[in-house]
Amino acid sequence: MNVLVVNAGSSSLKYQLFDTNTETVFAKGICERIGTEGSAIEHKHLLKNLKCEEARPLKNHADAMKLVVEKLLDSTYGCIASMDEIEAVGHRVVHGGAFFSESVLLTDEVLEKLRLCHDFAPLHTPAHIQGIEGCLAVMPDKPQVLVFDTAFHQTMAPEAFMYALPYELYRDYGVRRYGAHGTSHRFVAGEMARILGRTEGTKIVTCHIGNGSSISAVKDGKVMDTSMGFTPLAGVEMGTRCGDIDPAIVPFMMEKLNLTTEGVNQLMNKKSGFLGVTEGYSSDSRDLEKAIGEGPSNPHYEQSNLAVNILKLQIKKYIGAYTAEMNGLDAVVFTAGIGENNPHLREIVCEDMDYFGIKINKELNAKMLRQSNIVKLSTDDSKVAVYLIPTNEELVIARDTEALVSAARK
């Protein structure tokens, strides 16, 4: 089945066209600056290794989808002869609230429930709806499937997802732990279970470490716990996000810095993490690693080293806590931009973890970056498997889309 996977942001629309029979990606691209000046598309035909870039006014996501279809049908850069070759559309959706515990076919009722998720992801939900409506405008007869980042985490028990706040906040407003990056955690945990040869009885910690980071405890193929919370601000230190802090710091900052609620929200989401600890030097792990590699002669060495060590310690804590929660550990998986491409962080997370049975092959690990294949990083005598598994959220979306559309046709 040919499935068009769409990931709509507030001013962008990413896409990939899959053949799910072979799991081949025919084409991919992105429309940027939708609704503003300078809007454009970058489109790649992967099988022909062709690329084109074109500036085009894009008033909304419907305009963007029209341009995507135009490029997919283009005589030079296209990969299909007619719209009939696109059989379904799969959408990435950041937050499904408590409504969605699995991927669903789009209906009017589903769309109305998605609108109710606005408050949980106010930056993302309107963009997703715009992307969906853009696809409906251009391809009204194509079945569409929504795949939720939060869905994989819906298996958590109440004691894992509830906060010790007045219960009416949960009952009336849905305040609870939802998690994020669920599609990525689901993919790499599934790959790890395949490597282990079973799903039942497995105890896996998946570390999705990137500009946004989250860690999950996956037992028997189901999430027991995850580090992100009511929003993607919670958990470990990130590029510009602070992760977990003492909540009393919030009113303290508001008073001392004379901040509004929006101001403190911006501080925690946009000015903290790597960027905050390095005093504005960088939110990019690559810059921090460069400073660390150059040593004390680099003026940013000390703060960069501190920022990375904060994240190292936090990941270690989560591995330890989740091992206790699952009563054991079979494997640790590193994935996402930093997890896949930062050997130094993987090494310092895994060192001094002998008590847990974790031993990493430092020489092999040091060579593993920009890697597209699954790599075993643990030594042969390690009691816990440590793997680098490149994530593929788009493939999960394509697979779910094919499964739901095929089932609906029967």
Side-chain angles (χ1 to χ4, degrees), residues 84-100:
D84 292 339
E85 294 182 46
I86 299 177
E87 298 175 71
V89 181
H91 294 269
R92 180 222 177 190
V93 179
V94 165
H95 213 300
F99 296 110
F100 303 104

Side-chain angles (χ1 to χ4, degrees), residues 99-100 104-116 146:
F99 296 110
F100 303 104
V104 295
L105 275 167
L106 179 67
T107 64
D108 290 342
E109 181 184 1
V110 164
L111 190 55
E112 284 309 305
K113 285 184 178 178
L114 180 59
R115 295 185 196 279
L116 296 176
L146 309 188

Side-chain angles (χ1 to χ4, degrees), residues 346-364:
R346 293 193 302 258
E347 179 178 330
I348 60 178
V349 166
C350 292
E351 68 184 1
D352 300 324
M353 295 281 274
D354 304 56
Y355 182 81
F356 288 87
I358 296 173
K359 295 182 181 180
I360 194 171
N361 183 330
K362 294 183 179 181
E363 292 73 22
L364 175 63

Side-chain angles (χ1 to χ4, degrees), residues 258-276:
N258 194 28
L259 294 173
T260 62
T261 53
E262 177 58 26
V264 77
N265 192 46
Q266 285 290 314
L267 186 151
M268 293 189 297
N269 274 287
K270 301 293 185 182
K271 300 177 181 179
S272 298
F274 288 164
L275 186 66

Side-chain angles (χ1 to χ4, degrees), residues 359-376:
K359 295 182 181 180
I360 194 171
N361 183 330
K362 294 183 179 181
E363 292 73 22
L364 175 63
N365 174 64
K367 301 174 184 176
M368 293 300 116
L369 68 162
R370 292 181 291 278
Q371 181 69 32
S372 60
N373 298 317
I374 295 172
V375 180
K376 180 184 177 183

Side-chain angles (χ1 to χ4, degrees), residues 186-200 202-204 206 330-334 372-378 384-390:
R186 177 179 155 201
F187 176 78
V188 298
E191 289 295 289
M192 192 67 244
R194 180 181 60 79
I195 292 165
L196 294 172
R198 67 191 194 284
T199 299
E200 292 298 316
T202 56
K203 300 167 183 178
I204 301 168
T206 51
D330 294 312
V332 174
V333 177
F334 290 96
S372 60
N373 298 317
I374 295 172
V375 180
K376 180 184 177 183
L377 300 175
S378 48
V384 172
V386 180
Y387 271 77
L388 184 166
I389 301 181

Side-chain angles (χ1 to χ4, degrees), residues 274 285-294 301 304-313 315-316 334 338-351 360-362 364-369 377 388:
F274 288 164
S285 167
R286 292 167 294 188
D287 294 334
L288 274 58
E289 291 296 331
K290 182 175 183 293
I292 293 169
E294 292 176 357
Y301 166 78
S304 295
N305 198 44
L306 174 61
V308 170
N309 280 332
I310 289 171
L311 178 58
K312 170 203 74 175
L313 183 60
I315 297 173
K316 281 178 175 285
F334 290 96
I338 297 174
E340 294 173 26
N341 296 299
N342 191 323
H344 173 236
L345 180 66
R346 293 193 302 258
E347 179 178 330
I348 60 178
V349 166
C350 292
E351 68 184 1
I360 194 171
N361 183 330
K362 294 183 179 181
L364 175 63
N365 174 64
K367 301 174 184 176
M368 293 300 116
L369 68 162
L377 300 175
L388 184 166

